[in-house]
Amino acid sequence: MDRLVNTVRPYAWGSTTAIPELLGVAPSGTPQAEMWMGAHPGAPSRTGRGPLDELVAEDPVSELGRATVARFGPRLPFLFKVLAAGAPLSLQVHPDLDQARAGYAAEEAAGIPFDDPRRNYKDPHHKPELICALTPFHGLCGFRDPAEAADTMAALDVDSLKPYVDLLRAHPEEAALREVLTAILTADHAELAHTVTEAAHAAARLGGAHTAYARIAHHFPTDPGVLAAMLLNPVTLQPGEALYLGAGVPHAYIDGLGVEIMANSDNVLRCGLTPKHVDVPELLRVVRFEPGEPGILRPEASASGEEVYDTPIDEFRLSRYVRAADAAPTDLTAPTPQILLAVDGALRLRGAGTDDGLSLDQGESVFVPAGEKTELSGRGTVFRATVAA
């Protein structure tokens, strides 16, 4: 097993304190948004044997296991992160596998460079993801009932929002959501800015159910994404609760600390709350206009003490162990690669070549190659990221 040294990404929306507190280091004063654990070429974890992406490339079967390579190719199929949002992330969706393959092939054929802001598809993979809260975590997930969205907008008492309110109340659900989102994203931004500003002031004044939208508008005071956000369900996760985000589901994280696991892809289509490129026609092709309540996941405990977050995806599997000091050691040996992250306590790992054990304290992580003997002991909470069997 390999102790990981991970890159922390300083995106502007990151918290200045949450990740340093987890790692037990002094804040730098700059945003610390995401700590990446894995073999993504953009920021591979480092080990005593070298960068993890190079280790996988040199001997994928030894590192990933024969079954994982047969299913997903010679690449670690997931990326594991600690995510610390101090401000809202962009409102976005991810394509399904067929859409990603087709979009990537089309952009390759068109010769669009990877660093071109018009490029939507950086790879031919989908990007389902799971976020699990470590602190109270606020976000937006999926379309709400159009009638509820209409009521939210109507309560703001902004005259220029009334056409959207009427559309939401007059059409079938999916058609209503499509028509209003299209209208918001294709409107002249300069003309819409006054409406967004009025709506933001009203949301701040009303509070309550409008609080999430006022918080977003504080950071993006004239962005049309503020209005698009009102079509979505506000969600608050308590520590240990999670959200699974499949293809075509619009979402945004607002604030909080969590662990996130996703299929190893960079494919994102943005629809607001960002200065980056928004490809409206492609976005509308990918979005699934299906209203419904976001399903909050709670872990299901097994006899071994492993608490699993059940998701309908093969590229990743997330679970956790919450251990008491007197708990018997747990065998974590698996035929798939795994990354273990401690979020509190003082834990210990034993395995091949580590007779004295390897400490795993808060904020520390390790990579365990497929099939390597691994035993967990000690007190604390550890998250386990691996591939679905």
Side-chain angles (χ1 to χ4, degrees), residues 94-186:
H94 305 300
D96 64 27
L97 190 55
D98 289 341
Q99 291 166 338
R101 288 171 174 168
Y104 179 78
E107 292 184 345
E108 285 289 277
I112 302 175
F114 281 96
D115 59 355
D116 190 315
R118 297 172 300 150
R119 181 95 190 203
N120 294 313
Y121 297 96
K122 304 296 180 66
D123 54 67
H125 306 293
H126 62 166
K127 193 184 178 184
E129 59 191 39
L130 178 77
I131 183 77
C132 178
L134 296 179
T135 67
F137 194 97
H138 301 95
L140 304 168
C141 178
F143 288 109
R144 63 200 310 192
D145 183 282
E148 293 180 4
D151 291 344
T152 296
M153 287 189 177
L156 298 172
D157 196 25
V158 174
D159 286 344
S160 50
L161 286 179
K162 290 180 180 178
Y164 301 145
V165 172
D166 292 340
L167 286 171
L168 288 168
R169 288 176 172 164
H171 289 74
E173 289 186 343
E174 293 187 14
L177 292 168
R178 177 181 290 276
E179 192 161 349
V180 173
L181 183 62
T182 301
I184 291 170
L185 296 181
T186 57

Side-chain angles (χ1 to χ4, degrees), residues 324-360:
D326 58 352
T330 302
D331 185 6
L332 299 184
T333 308
T336 54
Q338 45 188 323
I339 293 176
L340 305 173
L341 167 70
V343 296
D344 63 52
L347 298 139
R348 198 156 194 85
L349 294 168
R350 295 182 185 275
T354 59
D355 293 337
D356 294 332
L358 186 70
S359 64
L360 189 63

Side-chain angles (χ1 to χ4, degrees), residues 15 35 45 75 88 174 196 199 216 225 250 285 293 303 313-314 327 341 367 371 381:
S15 166
M35 184 175 78
S45 298
R75 59 192 293 272
E174 293 187 14
V196 175
I216 292 167
R285 192 179 72 84
E293 292 289 329
I313 204 70
D314 293 333
L341 167 70
F367 173 76
T381 301

Side-chain angles (χ1 to χ4, degrees), residues 316-334:
F316 62 74
R317 177 181 184 273
L318 182 69
S319 62
R320 70 175 183 176
Y321 290 86
V322 182
R323 294 181 51 84
D326 58 352
T330 302
D331 185 6
L332 299 184
T333 308

